[in-house]
Amino acid sequence: MTGDDIESLKKKILVVYSAGCGNGKSEIAANLAFSIAKKGIRTWVLDANTFAPSQDFILGFTSPGPTFSDFLLDPGLNELPVYPLDRLYANPRPLPLFLTPSERDNQKIRFALQEAQNSGTDLYSRIPEAVFTAMVRHRVDLLIIDTHPSFEQINEVWMGMTRFLLLISRINPVDFENLKSLLQDPSVLDIEQKLIVFTNVQIDRSRNVLRDMENDTIVEQLNALHRQFELEPCALSCAAPQVHRAGRTDIHNEAFLYSEKLALFQQASRRQGMFIDREPEDSFSVNIGLLGKRVVKMLGL
Amino acid sequence: METHQAEEDIQRMKALIRHLEALDARIGQSQEECNAMFADIRREYNGILAEVKLQFHESVMAADRVGYDLIPDVPLEDKKIKAAWMALFRHPNGATADVIAEDLHRHRTTVSTYLNTLVLMQFAQKERIGHEILYKALLPRSVGTE
């Protein structure tokens, strides 16, 4: 691979990231990938949340072989396992969607990974080469990396590999403060394009998704945030040359309206297909479509 | 007749000697003028050289502080990867990811990712020395060093 090849591959990596948990990051990543793949764009989802993976569940896939967790723990595995989902989503035509899941069922592996990370074992130096090689082998147009905010060390790897960050935040004061801190992080500042997406998801103490806010409430809250002039100056200062040489921070205009339908769908033990496919008229699905269009445009796909 | 001829010769020789003495005086004078001129040129030369040296030093210092103007411009599009290469270039004997992370004020893992990407792009090489991994910047042939 030449330097130009890698420069070009880096422009095809989208990292989905957030300051906190439970804001719909994985659901957005999976549905966004599905929506973009439907346009014929070869899309690969890498579930980098090794402790609490969800992409296999959301995409309805059971891994027949090694996972991303296995790759990290076994230096003998030179290649990243990438599974095509074209047979799973074959109608009306095979979807050019790929998945690298993380280990869900084997608690030993999950704990071993966490222990290795805590002990400072080098788990990550093989990642860039393995990712770029897999992108070439599978002719990937877009790689979407679903992260976990607590795994800061591996997230630093993704920050080092991407030029495009999709930041997900809930619409509440705590997440807002966390988002502002995140936007000042040097690794985040280094990334040239950042798009902030707000969701209105609320979770209860058992981490169940509550019903969505009324549209009026969302509009009121977003207006209040704009009135406070807290996020916008922050986003602007991050984009200013003295703070960040080439960065740009945008805010996605459409907030994600987490519908009651989606909440019920998420809590179902067996999902039947993808939500945006099942409920294309739902506000969440409509917004995913809009976000997909924006991502495709921004990445020049 | 012979005496007259001898007198004439003596006079001619005296004239020639005076002429030679005058020429010698002119040579001495010219030499003094040239020495003065050479001294002026030397002074001017030394003044310019001192100024150039001072400006060169200041440029190097400025490059150390804010930029990398004296480092070859490599064709790396991604600014953060380029910054990592430039930081590495400043260590001709190679550096570890920790050293570059300190130079760039970035997390070690991020910098390690940058450096491993540079190795893939053939803009750097890495070698293991004991427990440490040492990275060295490579200059692509197409890039000038002046």
Side-chain angles (χ1 to χ4, degrees):
Chain A
M1 259 182 287
T2 67
D4 288 344
D5 294 336
I6 290 170
E7 291 276 16
S8 148
L9 292 171
K10 278 160 67 72
K11 290 177 187 168
K12 298 175 178 177
I13 300 176
L14 170 71
V15 175
V16 185
Y17 195 54
S18 69
C21 298
N23 46 28
K25 189 164 56 310
S26 297
E27 195 75 44
I28 290 173
N31 281 280
L32 182 66
F34 187 88
S35 163
I36 292 174
K38 279 193 97 171
K39 298 177 197 295
I41 293 168
R42 295 173 72 83
T43 308
W44 171 24
V45 180
L46 197 163
D47 194 346
N49 183 350
T50 50
F51 193 72
S54 57
Q55 290 301 330
D56 55 338
F57 180 68
I58 298 172
L59 291 164
F61 177 76
T62 306
S63 179
T67 61
F68 180 56
S69 316
D70 296 314
F71 169 82
L72 291 178
L73 281 174
D74 181 2
L77 269 181
N78 291 322
E79 290 177 17
L80 266 171
V82 181
Y83 300 102
L85 305 187
D86 53 352
R87 286 188 186 170
L88 197 61
Y89 299 106
N91 294 315
R93 59 172 191 270
L95 205 64
L97 186 61
F98 303 82
L99 173 67
T100 295
S102 273
E103 181 59 48
R104 160 185 299 286
D105 297 326
N106 192 335
Q107 200 184 44
K108 248 187 189 172
I109 289 182
R110 287 160 54 193
F111 282 12
L113 262 173
Q114 205 180 30
E115 208 173 285
Q117 285 183 82
N118 293 341
S119 66
T121 307
D122 175 24
L123 294 173
Y124 310 129
S125 60
R126 292 182 301 137
I127 290 178
E129 184 170 8
V131 166
F132 292 134
T133 305
M135 286 177 80
V136 172
R137 177 164 301 137
H138 297 279
R139 293 178 286 116
V140 170
D141 296 319
L142 171 66
L143 165 60
I144 296 180
I145 298 170
D146 183 21
T147 63
H148 187 289
S150 303
F151 294 164
E152 293 183 29
Q153 209 183 336
I154 193 169
N155 288 339
E156 290 290 332
V157 175
W158 307 127
M159 298 298 156
M161 288 179 67
T162 190
R163 300 178 72 169
F164 189 17
L165 199 59
L166 192 69
L167 290 163
I168 314 291
S169 172
R170 283 176 294 193
I171 306 170
N172 66 45
V174 175
D175 275 36
F176 226 58
E177 286 305 316
N178 287 336
L179 178 66
K180 284 200 290 186
S181 302
L182 191 67
L183 285 170
Q184 301 300 329
D185 183 283
S187 301
V188 173
L189 279 173
D190 270 347
I191 295 170
E192 287 164 36
Q193 277 187 297
K194 294 171 280 287
L195 182 62
I196 303 169
V197 171
F198 290 107
T199 69
N200 76 334
V201 63
Q202 299 177 91
I203 49 177
D204 65 15
R205 284 182 185 174
S206 313
R207 293 185 53 79
N208 289 321
V209 178
L210 297 177
R211 69 183 295 276
D212 56 315
M213 283 188 255
E214 295 299 328
N215 284 2
D216 290 351
T217 316
I218 292 164
V219 171
E220 195 181 298
Q221 289 217 18
L222 277 175
N223 283 340
L225 291 174
H226 278 280
R227 275 199 301 275
Q228 285 176 7
F229 289 108
E230 283 184 357
L231 178 67
E232 282 189 326
C234 165
L236 287 172
S237 72
C238 292
Q242 65 268 28
V243 180
H244 184 223
R245 288 175 295 278
R248 179 178 168 173
T249 306
D250 290 324
I251 301 167
H252 190 56
N253 296 328
E254 309 290 334
F256 275 64
L257 313 178
Y258 253 69
S259 65
E260 205 166 343
K261 270 185 187 170
L262 176 59
L264 289 170
F265 188 77
Q266 283 176 326
Q267 285 158 22
S269 57
R270 280 183 67 85
R271 294 178 173 214
Q272 301 288 324
M274 290 295 289
F275 181 76
I276 56 165
D277 218 25
R278 293 250 319 205
E279 302 284 348
E281 303 302 320
D282 186 86
S283 58
F284 177 82
S285 308
V286 172
N287 279 321
I288 283 285
L290 289 172
L291 182 65
K293 275 184 189 166
R294 185 161 182 175
V295 167
V296 166
K297 196 176 169 189
M298 284 177 86
L299 294 179
L301 297 172
Chain B
M1 189 69 184
E2 280 182 11
T3 308
H4 181 70
Q5 182 62 42
E7 188 63 30
E8 271 184 11
D9 286 342
I10 289 167
Q11 291 303 321
R12 198 162 48 86
M13 294 295 286
K14 279 184 177 173
L16 284 172
I17 288 168
R18 279 197 298 273
H19 195 181
L20 285 170
E21 284 172 344
L23 283 174
D24 180 55
R26 281 175 62 194
I27 287 171
Q29 194 184 347
S30 295
Q31 200 162 26
E32 275 178 19
E33 286 170 1
C34 281
N35 284 345
M37 193 172 71
F38 285 145
D40 284 347
I41 293 171
R42 173 67 68 186
R43 264 196 301 277
E44 197 177 346
Y45 162 82
N46 285 338
I48 293 171
L49 184 64
E51 200 178 322
V52 167
K53 280 183 175 174
L54 187 69
Q55 284 184 8
F56 176 75
H57 180 69
E58 283 173 357
S59 298
V60 170
M61 295 299 287
D64 276 342
R65 280 198 303 271
V66 292
Y68 302 88
D69 300 342
L70 298 178
I71 294 174
D73 190 25
V74 284
L76 287 166
E77 206 180 309
D78 188 335
K79 287 186 167 52
K80 53 186 189 282
I81 296 283
K82 193 170 184 172
W85 185 88
M86 287 171 166
L88 195 60
F89 188 79
R90 289 157 166 262
H91 298 274
N93 297 322
T96 61
D98 285 313
V99 170
I100 303 300
E102 204 170 304
D103 288 356
L104 295 176
H105 307 291
R106 292 290 181 275
H107 193 280
R108 188 198 171 282
T109 311
T110 316
V111 169
S112 178
T113 305
Y114 296 163
L115 295 174
N116 285 322
T117 306
L118 282 170
V119 172
L120 284 175
M121 297 168 93
Q122 295 164 16
F123 277 80
Q125 64 181 37
K126 72 172 172 181
E127 55 181 308
R128 183 179 282 278
I129 296 175
H131 289 296
E132 285 190 334
I133 294 177
L134 210 62
Y135 295 87
K136 280 185 187 174
L138 293 177
L139 196 61
R141 283 182 187 173
S142 57
V143 177
T145 51
E146 63 276 349

